């Protein structure tokens, strides 16, 4: 983390952003520094500019990189307190940081007006040079996530086609750093899980050649296939993260297969045990059910 002379901050991390993690890291940095999020610029750097960072995946980036960002920001705050102490010629223990400013305490409190981050940054050349912080960690303490999904479907017995009428996902997300991104992560996981439940499969010919290698034939859900996916965000902070973060992206991929299969069972009385529950497969099961009924 680097502080610029105009009082803005730059956060440099090594994880690519695939789900909103970049702005979430900036939000955590802004919270520790006590400045508006607009004053923080997050940058994703490559290994020429920053050390190797473990992969983006496994619901870990906001949790792990967020922990590192908080530690780097705390280093910066400690340095800002030190620079204010030098400016005022008082002990660093007599300086506290609050609301983006250094405040003198004790007998010095009435002598010196607070110094903003920008004011300290502007005079950094006279108090010790550039102001930066860094953290290298092997993050520990990821907490489990929990989710419950509710699904309503309509089954066309003539074709075996399943229409998702309504879908609600309830999830314990830890602390929702950026709530709309959390909602998007949950909705994306549900869409992926519904595709897994109803359509997505590799089809091979008798010689083992893949017959549906492109997205024209490998059917994934599109917007017209799905209703608005409702989300209920439950916040139970992770006590082992400074901001209570838990991973969000993977949990919502797991329940849709069971939720959809259970809804189909409730609709037509058929327990499908193989995925995907595609129209040909479901229609064949409906035909067998009819034959068995005589």
């Amino acid at each position: 983390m680097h502080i610029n002379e105009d009082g803005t901050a730059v956060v440099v991390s090594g994880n690519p952003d695939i789900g909103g993690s970049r702005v979430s890291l900036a939000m955590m940095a802004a919270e520790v520094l006590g400045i508006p999020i607009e004053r923080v610029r997050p940058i994703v750097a490559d290994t020429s500019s920053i050390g190797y960072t473990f992969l983006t995946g496994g619901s870990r980036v906001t949790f792990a990189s967020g922990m590192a960002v908080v530690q780097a920001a705390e280093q910066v705050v400690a340095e800002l307190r030190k620079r204010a102490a030098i400016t005022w010629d008082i002990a660093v223990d007599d300086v506290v940081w609050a609301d983006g400013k250094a405040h003198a305490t004790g007998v010095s409190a009435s002598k010196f007006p607070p110094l903003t981050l920008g004011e300290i940054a502007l005079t950094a050349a006279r108090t010790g040079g550039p102001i930066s912080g860094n953290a290298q960690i092997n993050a520990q303490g990821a907490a489990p996530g929990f989710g419950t999904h509710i699904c309503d479907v309509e089954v066309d017995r003539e074709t075996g086609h399943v229409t998702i009428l309504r879908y609600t996902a309830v999830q314990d997300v830890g602390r929702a750093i950026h709530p709309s991104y959390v909602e998007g992560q949950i909705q994306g996981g549900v869409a992926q899980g519904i595709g897994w439940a109803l359509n997505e499969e590799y089809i091979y010919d008798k010689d083992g050649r893949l017959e549906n290698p492109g997205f024209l034939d490998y059917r994934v859900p599109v917007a017209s296939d799905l209703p608005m996916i409702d989300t209920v965000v439950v916040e139970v902070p992770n006590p082992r993260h400074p901001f209570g973060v838990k991973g969000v992206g993977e949990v919502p991929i797991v329940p849709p297969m069971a939720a959809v299969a259970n809804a189909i069972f409730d609709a037509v009385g058929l327990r499908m045990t193989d995925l995907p529950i595609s129209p040909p497969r479901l229609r064949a099961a409906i035909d067998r059910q009819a034959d068995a009924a005589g």
Side-chain angles (χ1 to χ4, degrees), residues 65-280:
S65 290
M67 194 177 291
V69 165
V70 168
Q71 291 185 18
E74 288 172 345
Q75 279 191 23
V76 168
V77 167
E79 186 64 23
L80 291 167
R81 290 175 55 234
K82 175 183 173 183
R83 300 303 179 89
I86 292 172
T87 301
W88 291 329
D89 193 23
I90 62 176
V92 69
D93 289 340
D94 291 332
V95 180
V96 297
W97 188 263
D99 301 322
K101 299 175 183 178
H103 301 261
T105 62
V107 295
S108 303
S110 60
K111 296 180 181 179
F112 306 109
L115 287 174
T116 66
L117 188 152
E119 290 170 334
I120 296 171
L122 189 62
T123 60
R126 298 198 297 271
T127 58
I131 300 172
S132 298
N134 64 84
Q136 304 85 30
I137 63 171
N138 183 14
Q140 305 294 315
F146 305 91
T148 297
H149 290 199
I150 307 164
C151 178
D152 292 338
V153 302
E154 181 179 78
V155 178
D156 185 341
R157 286 181 172 271
E158 293 297 318
T159 64
H161 180 263
V162 177
T163 301
I164 307 294
L165 300 177
R166 186 169 60 170
Y167 203 104
T168 301
V170 184
Q171 185 170 326
D172 167 12
V173 301
R175 177 73 72 196
I177 300 299
H178 195 303
S180 63
Y181 278 170
V182 168
E183 182 180 32
Q185 288 263 300
I186 295 172
Q187 291 168 331
V190 169
Q192 188 172 345
I194 288 173
W196 193 349
L198 293 180
N199 298 107
E200 294 188 41
E201 64 177 325
Y202 298 125
I203 300 172
Y204 296 91
D205 65 16
K206 61 183 179 62
D207 297 317
R209 283 189 291 266
L210 186 65
E211 291 189 321
N212 60 334
F215 285 123
L216 288 175
D217 302 305
Y218 183 91
R219 186 76 168 83
V220 299
V222 295
S224 58
D225 295 322
L226 301 172
M228 178 62 188
I229 298 167
D230 296 318
T231 61
V232 179
V233 174
V234 180
E235 294 189 82
V236 182
N238 174 7
R240 299 186 65 185
H241 189 279
F243 282 107
V245 172
K246 292 182 182 178
V248 171
E250 291 178 307
V251 172
I253 299 175
V254 179
M257 287 78 76
V260 171
N262 285 338
I264 291 171
F265 174 74
D266 189 56
V268 297
L270 283 169
R271 176 61 69 189
M272 303 297 290
T273 57
D274 293 312
L275 296 177
I277 309 173
S278 58

Side-chain angles (χ1 to χ4, degrees), residues 12-15 45-54 135-136:
V12 185
S13 67
N15 277 119
D46 61 22
T47 48
S48 296
S49 305
I50 197 169
Y52 170 75
T53 305
F54 194 56
Q136 304 85 30

